[in-house]
Amino acid sequence: MSRIEVLKTYKIYIGGSFPRTESGRYYPLIVNKKTVANMCLSSVKDFRNAVVAARNAQGGWAHKTAYNRNQILYRIAEVLEGRKAQFVEELELQGISKAKAQQEVDLSIDRLIYYAGWCDKYTQLFSSVNPVSGSFFNFSVPEPTGVVAVFAPQQSSLLGLVTQIASIIAGGNTCVVLASEQLALCTVTFAEVLATSDVPGGVVNILTGNQTELLTQFAAHKDVNAILYCGAASEMIAKIQDLAIENLKRVVLREDGDYFGDKHESPYLIFDFQETKTTWHPIEVIAGAGAGY
């Protein structure tokens, strides 16, 4: 008698834990007409729980020192490095050649280190002392936007996902990510990497499921400050932009394509999710009597 294979049913990742979906639903992950795993079909309640976890974590994450965030992103890269073989195998299982899978995992590790290096540098790049006339200084500095809802790239299981998450959390934001529906295997495994690194629970939350089903909640939730959509579906983009008006959400659109290029390594991807805060500080008037040379 042939043995029936027991397929793993992957859980979602919320607040540093791995709960089952509140809905109790799942969908089969099919590669080359073969079911390789079962994925949770996340519900609106799962998304709301993830937003609560992200909001609770956001203040603490934003107020960590930039050096500490740097250390934590580097630690994610270290843990990913230790599980390279597993990720290469999973990428191959999803239809990628072994050589390209190894290249994607290596670059994912390097990209985490790249954004780790920017944690304590992007503020110098984007802040300024503004020229004003009067007895005060005027400073402009970038600060985190807050909670970011992310529609992850549908065509990239690992590298695209890592690029989006790293550029968001390097700047002190937290996020709720909806994984690629058909390439979710590496995404849920990456959640295990996050859970065993030093990332505080709630900073990154990962759901699996259907984009269309969760679109309205992602775009309309009042406690989400920004939304990132990776793709080019005009109907989805129009609906996201329309619903985001409700609480003036920032909408960032990025391509869903080749993530191997250098254009995906840029401090401006961090700045996409920063707000500029301007502060006035009074100072003593030097030579107020009009002394001159």
Side-chain angles (χ1 to χ4, degrees), residues 78 88 99 166 210 226 240 274-275:
E78 286 183 329
V88 169
N210 181 268
I240 288 170
Q274 298 291 300
E275 305 286 347

Side-chain angles (χ1 to χ4, degrees), residues 250-261:
R250 178 176 301 187
V251 177
V252 176
L253 305 175
R254 292 180 182 169
E255 67 177 16
D256 182 7
D258 181 11
Y259 284 91
F260 287 85

Side-chain angles (χ1 to χ4, degrees), residues 54-55 57-58 61 146-149 168-169 172-176 202-205:
R55 176 58 63 196
Q58 202 277 320
W61 180 245
V147 176
V148 183
I168 290 169
I169 68 174
N173 300 288
T174 57
C175 59
V176 179
V203 171
V204 180
N205 305 273

Side-chain angles (χ1 to χ4, degrees), residues 3-284:
R3 179 178 176 276
I4 299 176
E5 183 180 2
V6 178
L7 296 175
K8 181 175 180 178
T9 300
Y10 287 87
K11 299 176 183 178
I12 53 180
Y13 182 60
I14 298 175
S17 300
F18 290 92
R20 290 181 173 84
T21 173
E22 173 273 340
S23 70
R25 302 174 301 160
Y26 73 94
Y27 69 94
L29 191 65
I30 300 173
V31 180
N32 295 326
K33 299 182 180 180
K34 179 183 177 182
T35 301
V36 297
N38 296 314
M39 295 291 167
C40 285
L41 194 58
S42 299
S43 67
V44 169
K45 181 66 161 57
D46 295 322
F47 173 68
R48 289 175 178 170
N49 290 343
V51 172
V52 170
R55 176 58 63 196
N56 289 339
Q58 202 277 320
W61 180 245
H63 285 91
K64 283 186 179 296
T65 65
Y67 177 68
N68 192 202
R69 289 203 302 271
N70 170 297
Q71 291 177 307
I72 291 172
L73 264 75
Y74 190 87
R75 177 58 181 162
I76 300 172
E78 286 183 329
V79 177
L80 184 55
E81 181 83 43
R83 298 179 65 168
K84 280 175 64 173
Q86 179 184 3
F87 279 92
V88 169
E89 182 181 338
E90 289 182 352
L91 286 169
E92 285 186 89
L93 188 60
Q94 293 178 138
I96 299 176
S97 69
K98 185 171 184 177
K100 190 167 184 179
Q102 289 175 331
Q103 182 186 7
E104 180 164 351
V105 177
D106 287 342
L107 188 52
S108 297
I109 296 165
D110 294 346
R111 192 151 291 170
L112 282 164
I113 294 172
Y114 173 85
Y115 281 106
W118 272 110
C119 287
D120 59 354
K121 299 176 183 68
Y122 74 89
T123 51
Q124 290 96 316
L125 181 64
F126 297 118
S127 61
S128 64
V129 178
N130 306 312
V132 292
S133 177
S135 56
F136 37 77
F137 280 131
N138 182 275
F139 304 95
S140 292
V141 295
E143 292 194 344
T145 295
V147 176
V148 183
V150 182
F151 286 107
Q154 293 293 300
Q155 306 302 319
S156 177
S157 178
L158 181 63
L159 182 56
L161 176 86
V162 166
T163 300
Q164 311 313 331
I165 290 177
S167 63
I168 290 169
I169 68 174
N173 300 288
T174 57
C175 59
V176 179
V177 182
L178 182 60
S180 167
E181 187 170 352
Q182 297 305 318
L183 298 176
L185 196 55
C186 285
T187 304
V188 291
T189 306
F190 185 67
E192 296 173 2
V193 169
L194 295 170
T196 53
S197 65
D198 298 328
V199 183
V203 171
V204 180
N205 305 273
I206 296 178
L207 307 178
T208 53
N210 181 268
Q211 280 193 349
T212 305
E213 184 176 337
L214 294 175
L215 172 62
T216 299
Q217 284 298 317
F218 263 68
H221 197 294
K222 297 293 194 299
D223 204 25
V224 171
N225 303 107
I227 184 164
L228 169 60
Y229 174 72
C230 300
S234 56
E235 290 185 6
M236 285 195 68
I237 291 172
K239 189 167 184 180
I240 288 170
Q241 292 174 329
D242 183 53
L243 292 171
I245 295 172
E246 292 284 336
N247 71 330
L248 301 179
K249 260 185 213 69
R250 178 176 301 187
V251 177
V252 176
L253 305 175
R254 292 180 182 169
E255 67 177 16
D256 182 7
D258 181 11
Y259 284 91
F260 287 85
D262 290 343
K263 64 182 177 181
H264 299 289
E265 295 183 354
S266 169
Y268 287 95
L269 298 186
I270 299 175
F271 192 60
D272 279 344
F273 299 102
Q274 298 291 300
E275 305 286 347
T276 300
K277 179 179 180 180
T278 299
T279 303
W280 298 78
H281 183 72
I283 59 173
E284 178 185 359

